[in-house]
Amino acid sequence: MCQTLPRLLLLSLLATPTFSAFGNEPVLPPFSTINSLDDGWEALEFPGIDSHTRYELVTEDGTRVVRAEADASASGLISRLSVDPGDSLILRWRWKVANVYEKGDARTKAGDDYPARIYVAFEFQPDKAGFFERAKRKTVKVLFGEELPGNALNYIWANTLPVGSVVPNAFTDQTMMIAVNSGADQAGEWVTVERDIVADYREAFGEEPPRIVGVAIMTDADNTGESATAWYGDVALERPGDQR
């Protein structure tokens, strides 16, 4: 996914929180229980990309999930949050892909597409930013009246990048790509993934994470020009003691 300034501006929509509490109510609206993708999720579309990935609720084995279909396209679904990650915060989800991209390569701009990814956006920390970064953000604020988010983690289903690899995004080192699945060996199978966001942020950025301002699912193919289908089950944020 190309991350030009206008596209990053759209992620600034994450700055307005909608869900923030833990307990009996899920932080992220479960796909298995909502009746519409408008129930706590919203489209994330990018200027200059007219072809959008198609997302719809479908039923598989009696459970409601999201099916995403990309054809040289890009867009996502986001849920806005305001969550303090604390000492440990577990992100758990399950997903399935029909295929990976032949030209997919997390280390290049031309290959920066993924049949499935989970995007976690964090609050911007101005006290840790350099002069030019602060100046750029101030300009954006003046011109567009919006705040850009800060760092981000992308959990990706990669093509050839080894599982466990953590690499900077090809467009910006403020986004770190973490390969949690790779290759086509498990294509067509549901895979459950569980990650400690705090531990991953510390490894990726070498510091404690700020507040989480949004989580997105995304299947994109605009850079490779290929096609893919993916399915997303419920995406959950849980404190270690609250895990089911």
Side-chain angles (χ1 to χ4, degrees):
M1 171 66 61
C2 179
Q3 296 195 32
T4 60
L5 185 57
R7 298 186 189 187
L8 284 173
L9 271 172
L10 281 175
L11 287 176
S12 68
L13 293 171
L14 297 170
T16 303
T18 55
F19 296 93
S20 60
F22 285 84
N24 293 330
E25 293 298 322
V27 178
L28 293 165
F31 298 132
S32 60
T33 61
I34 61 177
N35 295 314
S36 167
L37 289 177
D38 294 329
D39 296 340
W41 297 86
E42 59 189 80
L44 176 63
E45 298 176 352
F46 305 98
I49 298 180
D50 297 327
S51 182
H52 301 145
T53 300
R54 297 179 297 278
Y55 296 91
E56 62 177 332
L57 287 170
V58 299
T59 300
E60 277 220 356
D61 300 324
T63 301
R64 192 171 296 166
V65 299
V66 171
R67 181 173 63 204
E69 296 180 326
D71 184 6
S73 60
S75 64
L77 289 176
I78 65 173
S79 184
R80 296 179 288 185
L81 309 170
S82 179
V83 172
D84 181 356
D87 294 328
S88 180
L89 184 61
I90 304 302
L91 179 66
R92 179 169 48 83
W93 72 94
R94 66 187 190 107
W95 58 8
K96 177 173 69 170
V97 302
N99 60 284
V100 296
Y101 297 130
E102 291 184 6
K103 294 181 285 186
D105 185 348
R107 293 187 172 92
T108 69
K109 293 181 178 180
D112 184 40
D113 283 336
Y114 310 95
R117 74 163 99 185
I118 304 287
Y119 187 108
V120 183
F122 296 85
E123 189 174 57
F124 175 57
Q125 297 177 288
D127 56 318
K128 296 185 178 181
F131 171 79
F132 291 107
E133 178 65 21
R134 294 196 304 272
K136 179 185 74 173
R137 289 170 179 273
K138 184 176 181 179
T139 300
V140 169
K141 178 69 173 178
V142 170
L143 293 177
F144 300 98
E146 298 283 1
E147 295 282 358
L148 290 172
N151 293 336
L153 295 175
N154 269 215
Y155 296 103
I156 60 173
W157 193 308
N159 178 23
T160 58
L161 193 68
V163 171
S165 298
V166 181
V167 300
N169 179 265
F171 291 90
T172 171
D173 59 8
Q174 287 184 286
T175 296
M176 299 297 287
M177 319 301 285
I178 302 176
V180 294
N181 292 102
S182 186
D185 287 349
Q186 291 181 291
E189 302 176 10
W190 280 102
V191 178
T192 298
V193 183
E194 186 174 293
R195 304 292 302 194
D196 186 329
I197 293 176
V198 176
D200 286 338
Y201 191 96
R202 288 169 178 162
E203 179 182 357
F205 296 104
E207 60 187 27
E208 296 299 308
R211 296 185 73 83
I212 296 170
V213 295
V215 173
I217 65 171
M218 191 180 302
T219 295
D220 58 317
D222 57 314
N223 292 312
T224 60
E226 299 184 48
S227 301
T229 302
W231 294 260
Y232 297 86
D234 291 348
V235 182
L237 281 172
E238 300 171 339
R239 301 294 183 194
D242 296 334
Q243 287 181 268
R244 295 185 292 273

